[in-house]
Amino acid sequence: QPLLVATHALPSLRLPARRAGVFQPPPSLPSPLSANPSFRSAGGSVERRAGKTLVNPYCVEGGGTILFAPPGRGKSYLTMLMAVSVDSGQAQVFEVNQKKALYINLERSTESMRDRLGNVNEALGLPRERRMAFSNARGKSLADVIAAIERFIEDKGIGFVVLDSISRAGFGDLNENRPVNAIVDALNGLGTTWLAIAHTPRSDESH
């Protein structure tokens, strides 16, 4: 059963960037968007330009991608392969534009992620001990760590973020639309290209 990919591109006109560390979601429904957006006149581009991809053809540069499949299908390894490829500039598997990558791990132990990173590095012909930025926050939610992630992205110049996974985001029931929209808004608010893992039920292959 192949993995399915859905993309969500950022709008061309974005709200003003928020200062790092000011993410304060209300108890009822988290939302990273500013309540007081500003508006201004804007002109179109002079020439037609083709859209850019960070990981061709899966990840739109400056946008977001959600990769989903039932558990146990290799989503974490695939997204780590994409992250290491982007971070290192290795184009053996995917055509990539090199950017600093950050992998947000909300599900597994630090040692497990070290083993996986070593395996992916070795598969790409890189030293097993090659380093990449990680946020290992098992037991926490995305809502818990989003402010620290924003500061890290700004400080380190991160250009690609991987979230493993949306099910640990902590924004509410994912069977409802508003929490899912809040998660996408939060990831878009990071101001960088992102890739997030989503799990479908083991018993349902119809997605």
PDB file of all heavy atoms in Angstrom, residues 134-147:
ATOM      1  N   PHE A 134      17.627  18.252  16.267  1.00  0.00           N
ATOM      2  CA  PHE A 134      16.468  17.516  16.751  1.00  0.00           C
ATOM      3  C   PHE A 134      15.831  18.258  17.915  1.00  0.00           C
ATOM      4  O   PHE A 134      16.512  18.923  18.687  1.00  0.00           O
ATOM      5  CB  PHE A 134      16.879  16.114  17.257  1.00  0.00           C
ATOM      6  CG  PHE A 134      16.872  15.047  16.215  1.00  0.00           C
ATOM      7  CD1 PHE A 134      17.954  14.905  15.362  1.00  0.00           C
ATOM      8  CD2 PHE A 134      15.801  14.185  16.078  1.00  0.00           C
ATOM      9  CE1 PHE A 134      17.959  13.917  14.402  1.00  0.00           C
ATOM     10  CE2 PHE A 134      15.799  13.195  15.129  1.00  0.00           C
ATOM     11  CZ  PHE A 134      16.878  13.054  14.283  1.00  0.00           C
ATOM     12  N   SER A 135      14.520  18.128  18.026  1.00  0.00           N
ATOM     13  CA  SER A 135      13.808  18.481  19.246  1.00  0.00           C
ATOM     14  C   SER A 135      13.172  17.203  19.751  1.00  0.00           C
ATOM     15  O   SER A 135      12.141  16.765  19.245  1.00  0.00           O
ATOM     16  CB  SER A 135      12.740  19.553  18.980  1.00  0.00           C
ATOM     17  OG  SER A 135      11.959  19.763  20.140  1.00  0.00           O
ATOM     18  N   ASN A 136      13.830  16.547  20.717  1.00  0.00           N
ATOM     19  CA  ASN A 136      13.314  15.311  21.283  1.00  0.00           C
ATOM     20  C   ASN A 136      12.445  15.657  22.476  1.00  0.00           C
ATOM     21  O   ASN A 136      12.948  16.050  23.533  1.00  0.00           O
ATOM     22  CB  ASN A 136      14.462  14.391  21.689  1.00  0.00           C
ATOM     23  CG  ASN A 136      15.152  13.760  20.488  1.00  0.00           C
ATOM     24  OD1 ASN A 136      14.506  13.134  19.649  1.00  0.00           O
ATOM     25  ND2 ASN A 136      16.461  13.930  20.389  1.00  0.00           N
ATOM     26  N   ALA A 137      11.135  15.546  22.306  1.00  0.00           N
ATOM     27  CA  ALA A 137      10.184  15.982  23.334  1.00  0.00           C
ATOM     28  C   ALA A 137       9.110  14.928  23.534  1.00  0.00           C
ATOM     29  O   ALA A 137       7.920  15.234  23.586  1.00  0.00           O
ATOM     30  CB  ALA A 137       9.563  17.313  22.946  1.00  0.00           C
ATOM     31  N   ARG A 138       9.533  13.681  23.669  1.00  0.00           N
ATOM     32  CA  ARG A 138       8.580  12.602  23.904  1.00  0.00           C
ATOM     33  C   ARG A 138       7.807  12.879  25.191  1.00  0.00           C
ATOM     34  O   ARG A 138       8.383  13.246  26.214  1.00  0.00           O
ATOM     35  CB  ARG A 138       9.311  11.277  24.018  1.00  0.00           C
ATOM     36  CG  ARG A 138       8.395  10.074  24.146  1.00  0.00           C
ATOM     37  CD  ARG A 138       9.206   8.811  24.322  1.00  0.00           C
ATOM     38  NE  ARG A 138       8.359   7.621  24.308  1.00  0.00           N
ATOM     39  CZ  ARG A 138       8.820   6.390  24.560  1.00  0.00           C
ATOM     40  NH1 ARG A 138      10.094   6.212  24.848  1.00  0.00           N
ATOM     41  NH2 ARG A 138       7.995   5.362  24.525  1.00  0.00           N
ATOM     42  N   GLY A 139       6.490  12.729  25.132  1.00  0.00           N
ATOM     43  CA  GLY A 139       5.644  13.011  26.280  1.00  0.00           C
ATOM     44  C   GLY A 139       5.099  14.424  26.301  1.00  0.00           C
ATOM     45  O   GLY A 139       4.236  14.736  27.111  1.00  0.00           O
ATOM     46  N   LYS A 140       5.600  15.270  25.417  1.00  0.00           N
ATOM     47  CA  LYS A 140       5.080  16.631  25.296  1.00  0.00           C
ATOM     48  C   LYS A 140       4.297  16.756  24.002  1.00  0.00           C
ATOM     49  O   LYS A 140       4.366  15.900  23.117  1.00  0.00           O
ATOM     50  CB  LYS A 140       6.224  17.651  25.343  1.00  0.00           C
ATOM     51  CG  LYS A 140       6.971  17.681  26.659  1.00  0.00           C
ATOM     52  CD  LYS A 140       8.008  18.783  26.669  1.00  0.00           C
ATOM     53  CE  LYS A 140       8.768  18.813  27.980  1.00  0.00           C
ATOM     54  NZ  LYS A 140       7.884  19.122  29.114  1.00  0.00           N
ATOM     55  N   SER A 141       3.555  17.847  23.875  1.00  0.00           N
ATOM     56  CA  SER A 141       2.789  18.111  22.663  1.00  0.00           C
ATOM     57  C   SER A 141       3.450  19.242  21.879  1.00  0.00           C
ATOM     58  O   SER A 141       4.316  19.956  22.399  1.00  0.00           O
ATOM     59  CB  SER A 141       1.351  18.499  23.005  1.00  0.00           C
ATOM     60  OG  SER A 141       1.334  19.770  23.647  1.00  0.00           O
ATOM     61  N   LEU A 142       3.027  19.409  20.638  1.00  0.00           N
ATOM     62  CA  LEU A 142       3.520  20.534  19.838  1.00  0.00           C
ATOM     63  C   LEU A 142       3.176  21.850  20.505  1.00  0.00           C
ATOM     64  O   LEU A 142       3.982  22.789  20.510  1.00  0.00           O
ATOM     65  CB  LEU A 142       2.912  20.477  18.430  1.00  0.00           C
ATOM     66  CG  LEU A 142       3.287  21.633  17.494  1.00  0.00           C
ATOM     67  CD1 LEU A 142       4.785  21.652  17.221  1.00  0.00           C
ATOM     68  CD2 LEU A 142       2.503  21.540  16.188  1.00  0.00           C
ATOM     69  N   ALA A 143       1.980  21.931  21.101  1.00  0.00           N
ATOM     70  CA  ALA A 143       1.588  23.160  21.783  1.00  0.00           C
ATOM     71  C   ALA A 143       2.539  23.492  22.938  1.00  0.00           C
ATOM     72  O   ALA A 143       2.772  24.658  23.239  1.00  0.00           O
ATOM     73  CB  ALA A 143       0.153  23.033  22.299  1.00  0.00           C
ATOM     74  N   ASP A 144       3.117  22.461  23.568  1.00  0.00           N
ATOM     75  CA  ASP A 144       4.044  22.672  24.680  1.00  0.00           C
ATOM     76  C   ASP A 144       5.370  23.267  24.221  1.00  0.00           C
ATOM     77  O   ASP A 144       6.008  24.025  24.956  1.00  0.00           O
ATOM     78  CB  ASP A 144       4.341  21.349  25.400  1.00  0.00           C
ATOM     79  CG  ASP A 144       3.137  20.790  26.129  1.00  0.00           C
ATOM     80  OD1 ASP A 144       2.274  21.584  26.560  1.00  0.00           O
ATOM     81  OD2 ASP A 144       3.051  19.552  26.255  1.00  0.00           O
ATOM     82  N   VAL A 145       5.816  22.900  23.025  1.00  0.00           N
ATOM     83  CA  VAL A 145       7.190  23.237  22.602  1.00  0.00           C
ATOM     84  C   VAL A 145       7.245  24.249  21.467  1.00  0.00           C
ATOM     85  O   VAL A 145       8.339  24.633  21.042  1.00  0.00           O
ATOM     86  CB  VAL A 145       7.950  21.956  22.185  1.00  0.00           C
ATOM     87  CG1 VAL A 145       8.022  20.987  23.360  1.00  0.00           C
ATOM     88  CG2 VAL A 145       7.296  21.273  20.980  1.00  0.00           C
ATOM     89  N   ILE A 146       6.097  24.706  20.967  1.00  0.00           N
ATOM     90  CA  ILE A 146       6.093  25.545  19.770  1.00  0.00           C
ATOM     91  C   ILE A 146       6.873  26.836  19.958  1.00  0.00           C
ATOM     92  O   ILE A 146       7.588  27.290  19.054  1.00  0.00           O
ATOM     93  CB  ILE A 146       4.638  25.842  19.315  1.00  0.00           C
ATOM     94  CG1 ILE A 146       4.606  26.508  17.935  1.00  0.00           C
ATOM     95  CG2 ILE A 146       3.904  26.693  20.339  1.00  0.00           C
ATOM     96  CD1 ILE A 146       4.823  25.576  16.802  1.00  0.00           C
ATOM     97  N   ALA A 147       6.802  27.457  21.135  1.00  0.00           N
ATOM     98  CA  ALA A 147       7.505  28.722  21.351  1.00  0.00           C
ATOM     99  C   ALA A 147       9.011  28.518  21.299  1.00  0.00           C
ATOM    100  O   ALA A 147       9.743  29.315  20.691  1.00  0.00           O
ATOM    101  CB  ALA A 147       7.085  29.328  22.695  1.00  0.00           C
TER     102      ALA A 147
END
